């Protein structure tokens, strides 16, 4: 049976208009029971509803902000900002070296509380010429991200809506912990939408699909997450992580050279939590490898993936 994340079921948004849709608690509980997840069903059954049985949106918003706040703490402890910059820094160096004219803009898809965007703004890790934008379909998370950025005095902005429908073109799309939410054809469509845009590259970090990932997720979330929903979804997300081959097939869309950094065969399973799949315009591969230096050995294409996995 498919494994379901509670957060995907209790927050439903129209992807076109970004409007919040009502969610019936009984329907969510039933789906979880049908998938064999009685623990998840009990968590949802305890959430407040209105007289019509619809989940209270204000209560759901508070819950999601609280869970994402705890996730930010995990990101800080795992030094996610530094890990992402290890690849994003050379990527932007390569884009500059290619003679790209015009503004440089990083768009974080499904930014949540905007930890990555705020960390990049606070550290200046990508340089002052890169505009930092976070986008999410969840209005409550965007509002909180914006509040935090203003309180911290950071030069970044957050948008409620569809990241692929912004008036300003992205130079690079990024995300952290988003890919595993897309199943089947939706995963390839996610990459196709970026290839069809003016963007020069994408760099999406998600949980590395190793045998140790679910165990590590259980340990981390059990120790650091207070709410049962966060603990539940943390483990399920590791179980739903896409393997390397699936990601490379989905990212192989027209006009894009798909690459994987630290595939399973080259990574230490005890240390690897997140790793990125990249898609770049073909002319960027040589300058990217040059900017990565010795680390470019960890960057493999589809033709090298089978050998790296041995």
């Amino acid at each position: 049976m498919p494994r379901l994340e509670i957060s995907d079921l209790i927050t439903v948004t129209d992807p076109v208009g970004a409007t919040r849709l009502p969610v019936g608690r009984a329907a969510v509980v039933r789906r979880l029971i049908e998938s064999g997840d009685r623990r998840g069903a009990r968590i949802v059954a305890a959430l407040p509803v209105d007289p019509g049985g619809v989940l209270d949106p204000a209560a759901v918003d508070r819950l999601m902000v609280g869970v994402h706040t705890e996730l930010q703490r995990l990101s800080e402890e795992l030094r996610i900002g530094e890990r992402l910059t290890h690849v994003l820094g050379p990527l932007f160096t390569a884009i500059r070296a290619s003679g790209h004219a015009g503004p440089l803009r990083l768009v974080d898809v499904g930014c949540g509380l905007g930890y990555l965007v705020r960390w990049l703004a606070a550290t200046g890790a990508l340089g002052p010429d890169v505009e930092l934008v976070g986008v999410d379909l969840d209005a409550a998370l965007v509002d909180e991200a914006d509040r935090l950025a203003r309180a911290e005095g950071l030069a970044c902005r957050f948008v409620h809506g569809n990241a692929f429908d912004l008036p300003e073109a992205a130079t690079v799309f990024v995300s952290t912990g988003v890919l595993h939410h897309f199943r089947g054809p939706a995963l390839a469509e996610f990459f196709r939408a970026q290839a069809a845009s003016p963007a020069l590259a994408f760099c999406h970090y998600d949980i590395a699909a190793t045998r140790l990932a679910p165990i590590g997720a259980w340990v981390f979330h059990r120790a650091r997450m207070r709410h049962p929903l966060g603990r539940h979804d943390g483990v399920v997300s590791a179980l739903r992580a896409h393997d390397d081959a699936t990601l490379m097939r989905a990212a192989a869309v027209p006009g894009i050279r798909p690459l994987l950094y630290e595939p399973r065969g080259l990574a230490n399973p005890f240390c690897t939590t997140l790793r990125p799949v990249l898609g770049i315009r073909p002319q960027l591969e040589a300058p990217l490898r040059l900017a990565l230096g010795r680390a470019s050995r960890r960057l493999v294409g589809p033709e090298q993936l089978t050998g790296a996995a041995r």
Side-chain angles (χ1 to χ4, degrees):
M1 298 295 290
R3 299 181 182 275
L4 305 173
E5 291 183 61
I6 294 172
S7 57
D8 287 341
L9 301 176
I10 64 175
T11 56
V12 180
T13 306
D14 178 0
V16 177
T19 55
R20 181 80 163 267
L21 302 177
V23 176
R25 184 176 66 184
V28 175
V29 169
R30 183 168 58 252
R31 285 193 64 185
L32 288 165
I33 291 175
E34 290 173 350
S35 71
D37 187 356
R38 292 191 173 275
R39 176 171 172 264
R42 289 194 297 272
I43 293 171
V44 174
L47 299 179
V49 294
D50 66 13
V54 173
L55 287 169
D56 178 0
V60 170
D61 286 346
R62 289 192 298 271
L63 172 60
M64 295 306 296
V65 168
V67 168
H68 277 261
T69 299
E70 294 188 321
L71 284 172
Q72 174 175 307
R73 185 173 63 245
L74 283 180
S75 295
E76 293 168 347
E77 293 174 350
L78 294 173
R79 302 175 70 87
I80 297 302
E82 290 94 331
R83 294 186 184 197
L84 270 63
T85 305
H86 177 69
V87 174
L88 290 177
L91 179 56
F92 274 97
T93 296
I95 290 171
R96 294 185 188 98
S98 72
H100 173 68
L104 297 176
R105 183 175 295 110
L106 176 143
V107 174
D108 185 2
V109 184
C111 67
L113 296 186
Y115 171 73
L116 173 60
V117 167
R118 291 189 289 111
W119 188 91
L120 292 171
T123 61
L126 298 182
D129 58 337
V130 179
E131 181 186 2
L132 303 168
V133 183
V135 186
D136 205 292
L137 290 169
D138 190 313
L141 295 179
V142 168
D143 287 346
E144 181 64 7
D146 185 65
R147 185 191 70 79
L148 291 169
R150 285 186 284 107
E152 296 160 351
L154 300 175
C156 55
R157 62 189 178 94
F158 296 94
V159 179
H160 172 225
N162 189 327
F164 307 136
D165 194 30
L166 299 177
E168 312 95 342
T171 310
V172 176
F173 285 106
V174 301
S175 71
T176 55
V178 168
L179 293 181
H180 67 270
H181 291 280
F182 294 99
R183 316 309 298 178
L187 182 62
E189 181 55 39
F190 176 73
F191 292 122
R192 280 195 294 269
Q194 295 162 80
S197 78
L200 297 180
F202 55 74
C203 182
H204 297 292
Y205 282 74
D206 205 6
I207 301 163
T210 67
R211 292 181 180 179
L212 294 176
I215 299 172
W218 185 89
V219 171
F220 272 113
H221 289 80
R222 186 73 184 176
R224 306 302 289 150
M225 302 289 280
R226 289 186 288 270
H227 197 281
L229 185 150
R231 294 177 174 179
H232 174 279
D233 280 8
V235 176
V236 172
S237 63
L239 293 169
R240 285 163 57 91
H242 298 295
D243 61 39
D244 294 348
T246 298
L247 288 174
M248 290 292 267
R249 283 194 302 269
V253 291
I256 289 293
R257 164 69 165 160
L259 297 163
L260 198 66
Y261 190 76
E262 289 190 328
R264 184 173 178 179
L266 297 181
N268 183 336
F270 293 96
C271 301
T272 304
T273 50
L274 299 180
R275 55 93 180 88
V277 58
L278 293 89
I280 59 177
R281 301 301 177 184
Q283 70 273 15
L284 286 177
E285 183 168 2
L288 173 58
R289 290 187 178 278
L290 181 63
L292 280 168
R294 291 172 59 88
S296 65
R297 295 176 298 179
R298 305 177 188 177
L299 194 66
V300 305
E303 68 283 355
Q304 302 161 293
L305 185 60
T306 301
R310 290 180 182 143

